[in-house]
């Protein structure tokens, strides 16, 4: 047997062992239910990931809902795109970032109005996926009661999936979630003076 053949055989044996492990894990994962995903951290991509899941859900014929808690003072490509679909209930409820509004009372009122709309989606079994964009920020600043949010998430329809985004996810929400991803910053164009670009940040 040549060296190349020996390498191929070793590779095949490694892949066969790996396949057995992966196949076993897949076979053991036999539960179907709605999952709670939390996307947090200081890195870019939390909302983008959530909207990718929204597109995936639409591809499977699901009805979906979006509530944006903070963003709202400018139009985004996601909003322009997803509003084209009758299966999407899209609610922009924020009035912009807190350092722009500089009015805590107004921010609290906007966040609570957004939470009321989110509550409607979380109680509707026809909605297969709910994106609560920047909810973590509203929880972090105390605009919305954490226990109230956790209770609504815990009592949503059994097959409904929820994605919560935003920096600073509270530990209790992380504990309640099924999947948690923390985005880390390695490098960002903004630090080099490059403004937010359409199709990337907007």
């Amino acid at each position: 047997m040549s060296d190349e053949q020996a390498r191929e055989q070793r590779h095949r044996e490694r892949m066969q062992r790996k396949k057995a492990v992966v196949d076993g894990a897949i076979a053991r994962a036999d539960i179907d239910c709605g999952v709670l995903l939390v996307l947090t951290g200081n890195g870019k991509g939390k909302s983008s990931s959530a909207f990718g899941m929204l597109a995936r859900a639409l591809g499977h014929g699901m009805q979906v809902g979006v509530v944006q808690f903070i963003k709202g003072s400018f139009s985004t490509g996601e909003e322009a795109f997803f509003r084209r679909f009758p299966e999407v209930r899209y609610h922009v409820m924020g009035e912009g970032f807190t350092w722009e509004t500089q009015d805590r009372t107004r921010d609290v009122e906007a966040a609570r109005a957004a939470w009321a709309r989110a509550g409607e989606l979380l109680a509707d079994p026809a909605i297969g996926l709910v994106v609560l964009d920047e909810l973590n920020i509203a929880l972090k600043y105390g605009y919305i009661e954490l226990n109230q949010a956790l209770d609504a998430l815990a009592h949503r329809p059994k097959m409904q999936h929820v994605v919560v985004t935003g920096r600073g996810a509270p530990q209790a929400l992380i504990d309640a979630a099924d999947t948690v991803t923390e985005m880390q910053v390695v490098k960002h164009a903004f630090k080099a003076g490059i403004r937010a670009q359409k199709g990337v940040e907007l």
Side-chain angles (χ1 to χ4, degrees), residues 56-135:
R56 183 178 295 148
L58 285 172
H60 287 288
M62 298 166 66
Q63 292 188 52
V64 299
V66 179
V67 178
Q68 292 191 292
F69 281 81
I70 303 297
K71 299 166 185 171
S73 60
F74 54 86
S75 179
T76 63
E78 296 99 334
E79 180 185 354
F81 178 74
F82 285 112
R83 282 194 186 278
R84 300 174 187 176
F85 296 88
E87 304 93 331
V88 180
R89 301 184 199 176
Y90 204 113
H91 307 285
V92 179
M93 306 292 292
E95 296 190 3
F97 295 104
T98 53
W99 59 85
E100 293 288 353
T101 62
Q102 299 181 17
D103 186 335
R104 178 178 169 81
T105 299
R106 198 173 85 189
D107 290 340
V108 170
E109 289 174 355
R112 290 180 179 169
W115 180 250
R117 190 57 54 89
E120 294 171 5
L121 296 174
L122 293 171
D124 188 344
I127 303 295
L129 174 70
V130 178
V131 173
L132 302 177
D133 192 35
E134 304 289 358
L135 173 60

Side-chain angles (χ1 to χ4, degrees), residues 12-199:
R12 188 163 45 251
E13 290 170 354
R14 283 198 306 273
M15 293 304 103
Q16 287 171 347
R17 290 193 298 272
K18 184 170 185 175
K19 177 174 168 50
V21 171
V22 172
D23 287 350
I26 291 172
R28 288 190 296 275
D30 60 356
I31 300 169
D32 286 320
C33 66
V35 293
L36 172 59
L37 302 97
V38 173
L39 307 176
T40 192
N42 294 333
K44 173 179 163 46
K46 298 178 288 294
S47 296
S48 299
S49 177
F51 285 115
M53 284 182 261
L54 197 74
R56 183 178 295 148
L58 285 172
H60 287 288
M62 298 166 66
Q63 292 188 52
V64 299
V66 179
V67 178
Q68 292 191 292
F69 281 81
I70 303 297
K71 299 166 185 171
S73 60
F74 54 86
S75 179
T76 63
E78 296 99 334
E79 180 185 354
F81 178 74
F82 285 112
R83 282 194 186 278
R84 300 174 187 176
F85 296 88
E87 304 93 331
V88 180
R89 301 184 199 176
Y90 204 113
H91 307 285
V92 179
M93 306 292 292
E95 296 190 3
F97 295 104
T98 53
W99 59 85
E100 293 288 353
T101 62
Q102 299 181 17
D103 186 335
R104 178 178 169 81
T105 299
R106 198 173 85 189
D107 290 340
V108 170
E109 289 174 355
R112 290 180 179 169
W115 180 250
R117 190 57 54 89
E120 294 171 5
L121 296 174
L122 293 171
D124 188 344
I127 303 295
L129 174 70
V130 178
V131 173
L132 302 177
D133 192 35
E134 304 289 358
L135 173 60
N136 287 335
I137 303 296
L139 294 172
K140 176 181 177 181
Y141 286 122
Y143 298 167
I144 295 166
E145 295 265 349
L146 176 58
N147 287 337
Q148 181 184 28
L150 292 172
D151 184 67
L153 290 167
H155 292 94
R156 71 188 192 276
K158 182 184 177 189
M159 293 306 297
Q160 187 182 80
H161 309 298
V162 180
V163 187
V164 177
T165 75
R167 300 179 182 206
Q171 188 60 49
L173 179 61
I174 290 172
D175 293 342
D178 299 291
T179 298
V180 180
T181 299
E182 184 173 2
M183 308 292 192
Q184 298 292 339
V185 178
V186 176
K187 189 176 183 180
H188 200 295
F190 183 70
K191 294 291 186 181
I194 300 172
R195 72 179 71 189
Q197 299 293 305
K198 289 182 179 179

